Amino acid sequence: MFLHRGSVQVIAGLLIFWACISFGSSQDDQVKVFFSKARIQSQEDTLLTINLVVSGIFRENFTCNLTFTSMTAMEFQDFVPIDRSADFVVGRTMSSAVRIAMVKDGVWEGTENLRVTFDLPVGNTNIQKGSPDSLQISILDTNVVQVSFMNGTVSTREPDGPVTLALNSYGAYNREFPISIQCNEVDPPQAINGADYSFSRSRVTFNDFDREETVSSEFEIDILDDFISESTESFICFLLTPFGTTGIIAGEPNTLTVNIFDDDELEVHFSAATYQGIEGSAVEVNLNASRQFSTPFEVEVFAVSLSKMVLGQTSEAISGKDYANPSLIGGGRLQFDNSTTGLMSTSMFINLIQDEIVETDEKFGIRFAIIEGDIDLNISSVSPLTAIVTITNDDILYVRFINPSITVDESEPSIEVYLEAVQEDPDNPGSYVPAKFEDAFQARIVVQAGTAKVRDDYRISGSSRDVIFKRGTTISTPLKINIINDEVSECNETFTLSLRIAGVEKQKRVKIIPDSSNTSVVTIEDDDITTVEFQQADYSVSETENIKSVFLITKGTFEGDRTFKIIDMPLTAEANQDYILQTSSAILRDGSTISDPINVMIVNDDLSEDIEEMTLALSIPQDEIYCNAIYGGLTTTNLTIDDNDKLLLNFERLSQNVSEGETFVNIGLVLGGAMWLDTAIEIEVYPVEDGSAESTIDFNEIHKVATFSASQSMPSVVAIGITDDYVSEPTESFKVELTIPEIYRYRISSDNPSTVVTILDDDVSNIFFNESVINVREMPDDNIVTLNLFTDGSFANDQTIQIFTTNGTAIEGSDYELLTKEVIITAGANASSDIQLKLLNNDVTEGVHTFTVTFSLNDDNMMNNARIGNPMTIIVNIIDDEVSVLEFTEPVVYIKEASTPDPNNVQLMLTSNLIFESTQNYKVVIRSGTATAGEDYTLITDTITLTAGENLATPIIVQILNDDTVEELFEDFYVTVEIPPNSGGILGPIEEVNVFIEDDDKLAVSFEISLANVVAREDEGVIGVKFVLREGTVFEAFNISFALESGTATEFLDYYIRTAGDFDVENIATFERFSNESTEATIRLVDDLECEENETFTLVASVSNETANRVDLVSPITALATIIDNDFGCDQPAILSFEDVLLTVSECDGTVNIPVLRVGTINTKLIIPVNVTELTARNGEDFNVKTPSIEFSPAKKFGEVANIVIDILADGQEETNNEGFSLSLVLPDAISFRRSSITVIIEDDNLC
C-alpha cells in the first residue's frame, strides 16, 4: 500500500500515545522479547510489517513501545511508522506485528537505513530483551538517474590547452554520486595519452541535490602539443557507473569521441639561403623541415631565373653552360622520412661546369615544390624557398698601373692615368699576360698623401675615382687628373696613386698585383722660378741714424716661409765699430714679394771720417727646400755711412792755366782738417757756361777721385786729362766742380766748390791702353785675346805704333803668342786699334802666370805730337784651366789579418791625371773605422811625393797587425791625403781608400737546445725559432737562415713562415753585435679544424756563402717541430670563436664579412643572435648589420664558418678620429666559446 506523506503524519499522531500494558506474569518465568530479524530490506512505496517476538510464558498482557531512529532515511520523508507499539495478549500472541509505510519521494537517494528499538514494560522484571533487540531497515530506492555525455563528438585544436567537457544527469537525487570516465585510443590515426593528451581527472561527482531537471557536471582533458606535424588524431571516452549502486545508469550518448586537429605547421625550406661552389666541383643541396612529422613525403627541386636586384654585380649562370640542371640530377626529387633524424632531406649534388673564363661569380636560383600525394600534413614552403647558388670563378684577374711613375709639367692642364687587366701566365708563373674576362668591372684609384696637395696642386676631374674595364678590352677608361698651376715657386711635388678593389669587384675575382705596379707616383715638375735680390743696389745712411733697414724683393712668390742668409762684408766701414748687423737671416713670408726688414745698427763714433762702406750679400742655400729659388740681378747691396762731423773742402785756386800739349792739369783740393779714414772725394768736370772748351774734344770728361788720408795736411791733387785736338783755336776754358757725395754731405761742406781751367792749346794727343790689368782663362783649345789701344787726341795722318811683350811667369812661344806686332791709329779724333794675342794650352798644371804688353812711340809719332798716355802697359794674367785630379787606384782594399805575429804590409797608390810643373808633397791622413790604430794597423808612410812631370806618387805603406782576438769579422779604416790650397790639384771620385782587415777566427752557432725538439698546440698559432752562440764574440751583426722540410705536416696547410708583407718572407734570425742569442723568427701554425694525428716538420739552419767565412754551424743544426692537434676528435662539444678580437676596415670597403668559426659537433641547428654595441660608430649612419643572427648546421660534421655581414657606410666627410663598434655572440649555456666578441675599427677615408 502506498501512503502519502499527509496520511502517514495523521496516523503517526494517533499512535504516538500508545503504550505497552502488562497484564501480569510470573516473576519466576523469564520472558524475553526480541525482533524476528536483525536486518530487513524494503522498497519505496510499500507497507512493511516487522514482528516483535516473545519467548517464554507471560502471565499478564504487556505492551512494548518502539523507537524509530533515522540513520540515512528520514522519518516522514522516507518512512512513516503505522504502529509505534507491540501488544502481547496472554494466551493469544507470541508475536506482535508492527507496520511501517515506505514513502516514494521521487528522488534518487540510494539505499537509506533506519534503526528500530523497543522499550520493556516498566516494573516487570521478568520480561527482558532478547537478541536481536534492534532492527535495521534498508529502504531500496526505486528512482532512476541517467547520466550521459552532453555531446557524442567534440573537436579541438592542438594546443588549445585543457578542453572542458560536460556530463548530463536526468532525474532527481539528493545524495552525491561519482561517475568514472575512461579514455582509450582508437584505430589509427590514434591520439596517445601522455603524448597527445593528458587525462588526469577520471571521476566526476554529482551533488546538485533536489533537482529534477537536467543537471550538467564538467570535467577537463589536457590537450598536449607534441610539436610534430601530423594528421587529425582521435581518442574515445566511456562512462563507468558506480559499482554496486542501483538507480545510476548510463544514458545516451554514453561514449565521447575527441578529435584533435594538428596545429603544427610543417615548414619546409632550403637548408641554406645560399650555396657556393667552385667551378668544376659539385654543390650539395638539401632541404630542412621545421619540425618532426608523421608521414614521409617528397619535394621536387628545379632551377629558376634570378632578378637583376638579386644578381647585383654578378652574372646569371646559364643551365648547361655553367651548371647541370638539377631536375636532371638524381631525378630532381628529395625525400623526407619520418625517422627521428628526418628533419633534413636526402642530398642532391649539382655539378658546376668549368668554363675556363675569367669572370665574376655567377648565380642561379633553385626552388622546390611539394609533391602532392595521399598525405594529411599541414605543409607549407617558407623562406628560403628560393636558394641562390653562387659559382665562384677560380681564375684571378689582376689590375695594375700601366705607368708606375708619371712626370708632368705644372703648365700642363691635366694627365690621364690608365690601368691594365692581366692574368698570370700558367706556363710562366710570376709573369702576366693580357686578361680574358667576361664581365665589365671597375677599379678605384685612391690618392695618397704626398708633398703635392689636393685642390692646391691637383684635383681629380669629376666626382668618381673609379675606372671601368669594358668587356673585350684590357685597358681601362682613364682617370683624368687636373694639374693646377699655382704660379708659386716650390720644389717638385709628388703624390701617390694606389689601387683599391671594392667588395663587389672582389667577387669578380679582381685583385691587385702585390708588386711595385700597384702604385703610381705622379711627380709635378714646378715651372715657377722665383728670383731673389736686394731691393736697391745702394743705400746711404747718416751716422746719426740708429737703424737702417734693407729689404729683399722677389719676382714671383714662394709656397711657405723661406729664410735666406745675409752676409756682411766690411769695406771701409768696420764691423762692430761703425755698424752691427742685427739681422743675419732675411725672411720671405708665404706669398709675399718683399722680405721682413734686414736691420743694420749704425754706430755714431763722434769722429770726423770719410764716407764708410760695407756690403751685404745674399746667400741662397742649396737645400732641397730652396729649389726654384735663384739669384736675381742684385745679389749684393752697398751701404754708405755718411759721417756727421763736417769739414770744409775747397779748391786750392779759383782758376789756373794749362797748355793743350800737356796731357793733364793738376787740380789741388784743400781739406780743412784731418780725416779719420782715407776718404775719396769725387770731382766732376763740366764746360763753363759760354762753352768755349768742348768735352771729349778739348778735355777728357772723366770723373776723378781725390784721396785724403788720415792726418794729411797737404792739398790733394787730381789730374784732368787735356785733349789736343790739332785745331788752331783761341784759349778755351772749362769749369771743374767738386761734388760731395750724398753720403758725405752731412760731414763735408764747401764754400768754393768750383774752379776754372784755361787750356793753352798745343795740340798734343796721348796714346794709352784702356785698362792696366786683364785676366784671361786658358782654354782646352787655343784662345784669342783682344787688347785695345786708344788715343785721346786727333791725328792729321795715320800713326803706326810698335807692340811688344815682356815675359813674366808666362813664356812667349810656350804660354802665349803675340799675333799683332804693330797697330795703326787712323787719322781723326779718339781713334783706337785692336791687338790680338793667342793663348797656348800646354796641358801642364801651372796656376796663374803673367806677362806684360806695352808699346813705344817712334820719332814720327813724336813729331805728330803723339804722347804716351796712361796706362802705357797692360798686365795679362793667364788663369790656368789645367787642374790635376788626384785619386787612389782602388776604393776598397781587402787584406787578411796576419796569421802569424809577423805583420802584413799593404801599399796604396795615388795617381794624377795630369803632370805638375813642380814637385808636390802630400800629407797622409788616416781615419779609423772599426779597426784601432796601434792594435790592428800602423801607418809607415806619413808623407808621399808626386815628382814634377810624373803621374804616380810614391806609395803609402800601412802595416797590418795580428791582434789574436776571436771573431772580429771585418775591421776597417780609411786612408786619404791633404791637398794644399791653390796647388792646382783636387781629389777625384776615389778620394780615399777603405781598407778592410779580414779576421781569421770563426764563430760557432747552433739551434737553441730547447728548440732541437719543439712541441706546440695547433691553436697556439706560432712557433718561435732562436739560435745561440756557442763560441766567440759577435763584433758585427749577421743572419742565420732556416728552411722548412715537410714531414707529416704540410706547408701552408699546417704551417707557414710568417711574412712581413705579401711576399717578403722572414725566415731569418739575426745576431746583433755582442749578443749571445739571435732574434726570434716566427713560424705560423694553421688551425685546420680537422681531426688528425699529431704532425711534424723539420727546421734546417743555413748561412750564406759570405757569412760562412766567419760562422760555423754546430750541432744541433736541425730542429724537429711537432704540432699537437687541438680538434680532440669529431665528437667533442662545439666551440664558437671569432677569428680575431680586433678588425680594422676602411670606410671605403663596402660590404665586410666577419667570420665566426665552429669547432666540434652539434646535434641540432644552432641560431646564434648577434649583439651590436655602438662605441663611437652609429648603427645606420656609419655601418649597417645585415646579419642579426648566424646559423650552424649539424650536417657540417667537423665544423664550419658562418659570416656576419656588415655594410660599412661611407659618409664622404673628413673626420678627426676613427670610429668603432663591437659585436658579441649571445651563446646558449651548452655552447663554449673562445672569443665571443670582436671590436671593429672604421678608418676614415673621405675620398670614397
Side-chain angles (χ1 to χ4, degrees):
M1 180 183 67
F2 179 79
L3 296 179
H4 292 288
R5 285 186 177 179
S7 301
V8 172
Q9 290 174 352
V10 172
I11 295 172
L14 293 175
L15 294 177
I16 196 169
F17 299 106
W18 286 43
C20 289
I21 305 173
S22 175
F23 292 96
S25 64
S26 176
Q27 296 183 355
D28 296 329
D29 298 326
Q30 291 291 323
V31 178
K32 291 187 177 180
V33 180
F34 55 89
F35 287 104
S36 62
K37 294 180 179 180
R39 295 179 181 273
I40 192 171
Q41 289 184 341
S42 180
Q43 291 185 345
E44 288 184 333
D45 198 21
T46 62
L47 181 62
L48 175 65
T49 301
I50 62 174
N51 294 304
L52 192 65
V53 181
V54 64
S55 66
I57 300 174
F58 55 91
R59 300 290 187 257
E60 53 187 32
N61 297 334
F62 65 91
T63 300
C64 291
N65 294 325
L66 279 72
T67 302
F68 297 87
T69 303
S70 294
M71 294 177 69
T72 55
M74 304 297 295
E75 190 176 359
F76 305 120
Q77 293 183 11
D78 300 306
F79 67 94
V80 177
I82 301 299
D83 302 313
R84 292 187 179 270
S85 65
D87 295 328
F88 292 90
V89 179
V90 174
R92 290 177 57 187
T93 57
M94 293 303 290
S95 66
S96 179
V98 177
R99 296 169 297 171
I100 304 171
M102 301 300 170
V103 180
K104 185 174 180 63
D105 54 11
V107 176
W108 181 87
E109 301 162 308
T111 299
E112 297 174 300
N113 297 312
L114 63 103
R115 184 176 299 277
V116 183
T117 61
F118 62 92
D119 295 328
L120 295 176
V122 178
N124 190 342
T125 59
N126 290 329
I127 301 175
Q128 297 180 353
K129 290 184 178 181
S131 180
D133 61 355
S134 66
L135 171 65
Q136 179 175 323
I137 303 172
S138 295
I139 306 171
L140 300 179
D141 199 328
T142 59
N143 294 289
V144 175
V145 177
Q146 291 186 1
V147 179
S148 65
F149 288 105
M150 180 177 291
N151 303 99
T153 303
V154 173
S155 296
T156 183
R157 181 169 294 279
E158 180 187 82
D160 283 346
V163 59
T164 301
L165 305 175
L167 296 176
N168 286 345
S169 66
Y170 301 92
Y173 58 91
N174 65 359
R175 63 174 279 197
E176 66 179 24
F177 61 90
I179 295 294
S180 295
I181 303 169
Q182 179 178 335
C183 297
N184 297 324
E185 291 79 6
V186 296
D187 291 336
Q190 61 183 4
I192 300 173
N193 194 356
D196 301 304
Y197 68 95
S198 175
F199 185 42
S200 60
R201 183 180 180 188
S202 60
R203 294 169 63 92
V204 178
T205 300
F206 286 83
N207 54 12
D208 196 358
F209 305 144
D210 299 327
R211 293 183 58 186
E212 295 183 0
E213 67 270 15
T214 300
V215 177
S216 296
S217 185
E218 295 179 343
F219 67 96
E220 292 182 345
I221 298 178
D222 287 334
I223 306 301
L224 305 179
D225 192 348
D226 56 5
F227 300 102
I228 298 176
S229 181
E230 53 202 351
S231 304
T232 300
E233 300 171 305
S234 302
F235 64 94
I236 189 168
C237 296
F238 304 90
L239 292 178
L240 299 177
T241 57
F243 179 77
T245 301
T246 59
I248 305 298
I249 63 173
E252 293 293 335
N254 59 10
T255 61
L256 170 65
T257 300
V258 180
N259 298 319
I260 305 174
F261 294 106
D262 188 63
D263 74 332
D264 296 307
E265 183 179 19
L266 179 62
E267 297 177 345
V268 178
H269 58 83
F270 280 107
S271 60
T274 60
Y275 297 93
Q276 187 165 359
I278 300 175
E279 286 183 347
S281 65
V283 174
E284 181 181 1
V285 175
N286 45 44
L287 298 175
N288 284 352
S290 61
R291 61 180 70 246
Q292 291 184 345
F293 49 90
S294 60
T295 307
F297 62 95
E298 288 186 339
V299 296
E300 182 175 4
V301 179
F302 51 90
V304 295
S305 297
L306 298 176
S307 65
K308 290 184 178 180
M309 181 176 69
V310 174
L311 288 172
Q313 298 297 321
T314 59
S315 302
E316 182 165 17
I318 300 173
S319 176
K321 172 181 175 294
D322 300 305
Y323 65 94
N325 193 320
S327 65
L328 302 178
I329 303 172
R333 293 191 175 190
L334 302 178
Q335 288 78 36
F336 283 91
D337 61 31
N338 60 343
S339 64
T340 56
T341 59
L343 294 183
M344 180 176 288
S345 71
T346 56
S347 296
M348 166 185 293
F349 292 90
I350 303 175
N351 291 327
L352 307 181
I353 300 172
Q354 176 75 49
D355 56 9
E356 298 183 355
I357 298 176
V358 179
E359 55 197 349
T360 60
D361 291 349
E362 298 171 307
K363 295 180 180 178
F364 65 94
I366 52 174
R367 295 199 69 168
F368 66 91
I370 308 297
I371 299 176
E372 300 292 339
D374 188 16
I375 56 174
D376 183 18
L377 295 179
N378 183 14
I379 304 177
S380 64
S381 302
V382 297
S383 179
L385 54 86
T386 299
I388 299 173
V389 181
T390 301
I391 305 174
T392 302
N393 186 267
D394 59 353
D395 297 310
I396 300 176
L397 183 65
Y398 292 100
V399 176
R400 64 184 180 185
F401 286 97
I402 293 180
N403 295 316
S405 62
I406 302 172
T407 302
V408 58
D409 194 271
E410 191 180 52
S411 61
E412 295 184 25
S414 63
I415 60 171
E416 291 184 343
V417 179
Y418 293 88
L419 305 179
E420 66 174 339
V422 296
Q423 63 188 81
E424 191 167 13
D425 187 349
D427 299 327
N428 189 11
S431 62
Y432 299 89
V433 296
K436 296 178 181 179
F437 55 93
E438 185 171 270
D439 297 323
F441 65 94
Q442 63 185 23
R444 173 160 294 184
I445 298 178
V446 179
V447 181
Q448 298 176 347
T451 54
K453 298 178 180 178
V454 66
R455 300 185 184 89
D456 291 340
D457 302 302
Y458 64 93
R459 181 178 287 112
I460 305 299
S461 178
S463 59
S464 175
R465 293 168 174 79
D466 295 332
V467 297
I468 298 173
F469 285 88
K470 299 179 180 178
R471 183 175 181 179
T473 176
T474 59
I475 305 301
S476 70
T477 58
L479 175 68
K480 185 176 181 181
I481 302 177
N482 294 326
I483 306 302
I484 300 172
N485 192 338
D486 52 11
E487 298 182 357
V488 174
S489 290
E490 53 201 352
C491 300
N492 292 344
E493 297 172 306
T494 63
F495 61 93
T496 302
L497 303 175
S498 63
L499 296 177
R500 180 170 293 165
I501 305 300
V504 66
E505 302 301 343
K506 291 177 181 177
Q507 297 175 4
K508 300 179 182 179
R509 307 289 293 175
V510 179
K511 292 188 177 182
I512 300 171
I513 297 180
D515 59 17
S516 59
S517 64
N518 62 18
T519 60
S520 180
V521 179
V522 180
T523 301
I524 304 175
E525 293 186 340
D526 189 62
D527 62 348
D528 300 303
I529 304 298
T530 297
T531 61
V532 183
E533 61 182 343
F534 284 100
Q535 188 178 34
Q536 297 175 206
D538 299 287
Y539 290 88
S540 62
V541 61
S542 171
E543 196 177 55
T544 58
E545 294 186 38
N546 184 28
I547 299 294
K548 183 64 178 178
S549 294
V550 177
F551 296 90
L552 295 178
I553 59 172
T554 66
K555 292 181 181 178
T557 58
F558 292 109
E559 181 182 45
D561 295 350
R562 301 289 179 94
T563 300
F564 297 91
K565 186 177 181 181
I566 302 299
I567 303 171
D568 66 310
M569 297 183 293
L571 296 175
T572 56
E574 293 188 20
N576 300 322
Q577 293 186 9
D578 297 308
Y579 71 92
I580 298 172
L581 179 61
Q582 291 185 328
T583 306
S584 60
S585 296
I587 300 175
L588 275 161
R589 302 292 179 183
D590 181 16
S592 176
T593 59
I594 188 168
S595 71
D596 292 351
I598 304 165
N599 293 326
V600 180
M601 187 174 76
I602 307 303
V603 179
N604 191 345
D605 53 10
D606 296 327
L607 296 174
S608 178
E609 50 198 354
D610 199 353
I611 293 174
E612 296 169 313
E613 292 183 307
M614 55 86 67
T615 297
L616 295 178
L618 168 65
S619 175
I620 298 179
Q622 297 305 308
D623 295 341
E624 184 178 301
I625 63 170
Y626 288 90
C627 48
N628 290 345
I630 64 172
Y631 289 105
L634 298 177
T635 59
T636 61
T637 184
N638 289 328
L639 179 62
T640 302
I641 304 173
D642 193 357
D643 191 64
N644 63 330
D645 301 304
K646 287 197 173 184
L647 300 175
L648 189 63
L649 176 65
N650 290 315
F651 283 103
E652 187 178 20
R653 291 181 290 178
L654 294 177
S655 63
Q656 62 188 88
N657 299 329
V658 62
S659 172
E660 190 182 54
E662 298 181 24
T663 58
F664 55 88
V665 59
N666 289 323
I667 306 296
L669 290 137
V670 179
L671 184 63
M675 300 295 290
W676 182 53
L677 294 175
D678 291 349
T679 303
I681 303 300
E682 188 175 286
I683 301 173
E684 296 185 6
V685 179
Y686 298 96
V688 295
E689 293 182 359
D690 60 359
S692 57
E694 297 184 28
S695 173
T696 69
I697 296 177
D698 299 309
F699 62 92
N700 191 352
E701 190 183 13
I702 296 177
H703 292 192
K704 296 293 182 177
V705 176
T707 301
F708 291 89
S709 61
S711 70
Q712 177 178 335
S713 59
M714 298 299 293
S716 181
V717 178
V718 295
I720 302 298
I722 302 300
T723 303
D724 191 345
D725 55 7
Y726 296 101
V727 176
S728 180
E729 55 193 353
T731 299
E732 298 170 314
S733 62
F734 61 93
K735 187 177 181 182
V736 178
E737 293 182 344
L738 68 85
T739 300
I740 300 173
E742 185 176 353
I743 61 174
Y744 299 125
R745 288 178 185 171
Y746 65 93
R747 57 190 178 87
I748 299 177
S749 63
S750 176
D751 54 8
N752 183 20
S754 64
T755 183
V756 175
V757 177
T758 300
I759 301 173
L760 303 176
D761 186 71
D762 63 354
D763 303 318
V764 173
S765 295
N766 296 303
I767 299 173
F768 53 90
F769 286 106
N770 64 327
E771 50 191 335
S772 60
V773 178
I774 184 172
N775 296 323
V776 294
R777 185 172 296 278
E778 186 180 86
M779 295 295 182
D781 297 326
D782 294 338
N783 186 18
I784 303 300
V785 177
T786 300
L787 307 179
N788 299 112
L789 191 64
F790 288 89
T791 179
D792 58 359
S794 179
F795 292 103
N797 47 42
D798 295 342
Q799 299 296 310
T800 300
I801 308 298
Q802 300 297 318
I803 307 299
F804 57 91
T805 62
T806 301
N807 290 332
T809 55
I811 308 300
E812 186 172 7
S814 175
D815 298 307
Y816 70 92
E817 180 182 345
L818 180 63
L819 300 179
T820 305
K821 305 295 184 181
E822 62 181 20
V823 296
I824 296 176
I825 298 178
T826 58
N830 299 325
S832 66
S833 185
D834 295 338
I835 302 169
Q836 288 191 332
L837 299 166
K838 183 178 181 180
L839 304 182
L840 305 177
N841 190 349
N842 55 7
D843 291 331
V844 176
T845 303
E846 303 163 303
V848 178
H849 43 300
T850 66
F851 66 96
T852 303
V853 180
T854 187
F855 64 91
S856 63
L857 300 180
N858 53 30
D859 293 341
D860 182 62
N861 300 136
M862 298 299 293
M863 291 178 60
N864 283 280
N865 291 327
R867 298 291 185 268
I868 294 176
N870 186 35
M872 63 175 292
T873 61
I874 185 167
I875 298 173
V876 180
N877 295 322
I878 303 175
I879 300 174
D880 191 31
D881 68 335
E882 308 299 339
V883 176
S884 291
V885 178
L886 303 170
E887 62 180 351
F888 288 93
T889 55
E890 49 190 340
V892 178
V893 171
Y894 291 90
I895 185 168
K896 278 191 175 291
E897 184 181 77
S899 58
T900 66
D902 297 330
N904 291 339
N905 289 343
V906 60
Q907 289 190 357
L908 309 176
M909 303 304 296
L910 185 73
T911 64
S912 172
N913 66 327
L914 299 176
I915 60 174
F916 280 89
E917 201 172 33
S918 58
T919 297
Q920 306 290 318
N921 293 317
Y922 303 111
K923 180 182 178 183
V924 178
V925 178
I926 203 161
R927 175 169 61 88
S928 290
T930 56
T932 303
E935 290 184 10
D936 301 306
Y937 65 89
T938 299
L939 179 63
I940 302 301
T941 307
D942 58 0
T943 302
I944 60 173
T945 301
L946 180 60
T947 305
E950 294 185 0
N951 296 95
L952 188 64
T954 57
I956 302 171
I957 299 176
V958 182
Q959 191 176 74
I960 306 302
L961 306 177
N962 189 336
D963 56 5
D964 292 328
T965 303
V966 295
E967 212 293 301
E968 300 166 310
L969 185 61
F970 285 103
E971 299 176 301
D972 68 334
F973 58 92
Y974 300 85
V975 179
T976 187
V977 295
E978 286 185 357
I979 305 297
N982 301 322
S983 65
I986 60 172
L987 284 173
I990 308 177
E991 62 181 358
E992 64 180 1
V993 181
N994 191 184
V995 180
F996 284 91
I997 306 172
E998 184 177 351
D999 192 68
D1000 57 353
D1001 301 301
K1002 283 191 174 183
L1003 298 173
V1005 172
S1006 74
F1007 271 110
E1008 191 178 31
I1009 292 296
S1010 61
L1011 282 179
N1013 288 284
V1014 63
V1015 177
R1017 281 171 53 89
E1018 190 177 54
D1019 58 348
E1020 290 178 359
V1022 295
I1023 292 178
V1025 178
K1026 273 190 177 182
F1027 297 87
V1028 293
L1029 184 67
R1030 300 299 181 190
E1031 181 180 340
T1033 303
V1034 179
F1035 289 96
E1036 189 70 25
F1038 64 90
N1039 294 329
I1040 302 291
S1041 304
F1042 62 90
L1044 304 181
E1045 295 182 355
S1046 295
T1048 56
T1050 303
E1051 189 171 7
F1052 302 117
L1053 296 180
D1054 300 304
Y1055 65 91
Y1056 60 92
I1057 298 174
R1058 185 176 186 178
T1059 58
D1062 287 338
F1063 291 92
D1064 300 327
V1065 177
E1066 292 183 345
N1067 59 338
I1068 339 176
T1070 300
F1071 277 90
E1072 303 293 347
R1073 293 190 66 191
F1074 304 114
S1075 63
N1076 292 322
E1077 64 178 16
S1078 70
T1079 58
E1080 183 178 86
T1082 304
I1083 301 172
R1084 285 276 191 185
L1085 300 183
V1086 180
D1087 193 342
D1088 53 12
L1089 306 179
E1090 292 184 2
C1091 304
E1092 55 195 355
E1093 298 293 332
N1094 295 339
E1095 299 170 306
T1096 62
F1097 63 93
T1098 303
L1099 290 77
V1100 180
S1102 64
V1103 294
S1104 65
N1105 292 334
E1106 180 182 354
T1107 307
N1109 293 330
R1110 51 187 287 245
V1111 175
D1112 282 334
L1113 290 175
V1114 298
S1115 181
I1117 63 172
T1118 63
L1120 179 67
T1122 302
I1123 305 174
I1124 304 299
D1125 188 62
N1126 70 319
D1127 295 310
F1128 312 118
C1130 303
D1131 57 350
Q1132 294 299 313
I1135 299 176
L1136 301 186
S1137 178
F1138 284 101
E1139 281 192 338
D1140 295 295
V1141 296
L1142 180 66
L1143 174 65
T1144 301
V1145 299
S1146 171
E1147 198 175 49
C1148 301
D1149 282 349
T1151 300
V1152 174
N1153 291 329
I1154 300 178
V1156 179
L1157 286 76
R1158 172 178 70 81
V1159 179
T1161 59
I1162 56 177
N1163 296 323
T1164 60
K1165 178 173 67 176
L1166 284 182
I1167 299 178
I1168 306 298
V1170 178
N1171 187 34
V1172 182
T1173 302
E1174 296 179 345
L1175 300 176
T1176 53
R1178 294 291 175 261
N1179 196 351
E1181 290 184 16
D1182 302 302
F1183 66 95
N1184 183 23
V1185 180
K1186 301 183 68 177
T1187 311
S1189 63
I1190 54 177
E1191 295 185 6
F1192 293 97
S1193 169
K1196 304 294 184 179
K1197 189 173 182 182
F1198 298 111
E1200 62 183 313
V1201 176
N1203 286 319
I1204 302 173
V1205 182
I1206 307 292
D1207 280 344
I1208 305 301
L1209 307 178
D1211 53 15
Q1213 298 179 357
E1214 185 172 357
E1215 297 160 318
T1216 306
N1217 298 314
N1218 296 333
E1219 300 170 310
F1221 63 94
S1222 67
L1223 304 175
S1224 58
L1225 304 178
V1226 182
L1227 298 173
D1229 293 337
I1231 302 300
S1232 301
F1233 65 88
R1234 187 168 299 153
R1235 291 186 286 269
S1236 63
S1237 65
I1238 187 171
T1239 300
V1240 182
I1241 302 300
I1242 306 175
E1243 292 184 338
D1244 182 62
D1245 192 339
N1246 64 318
L1247 298 180
C1248 297

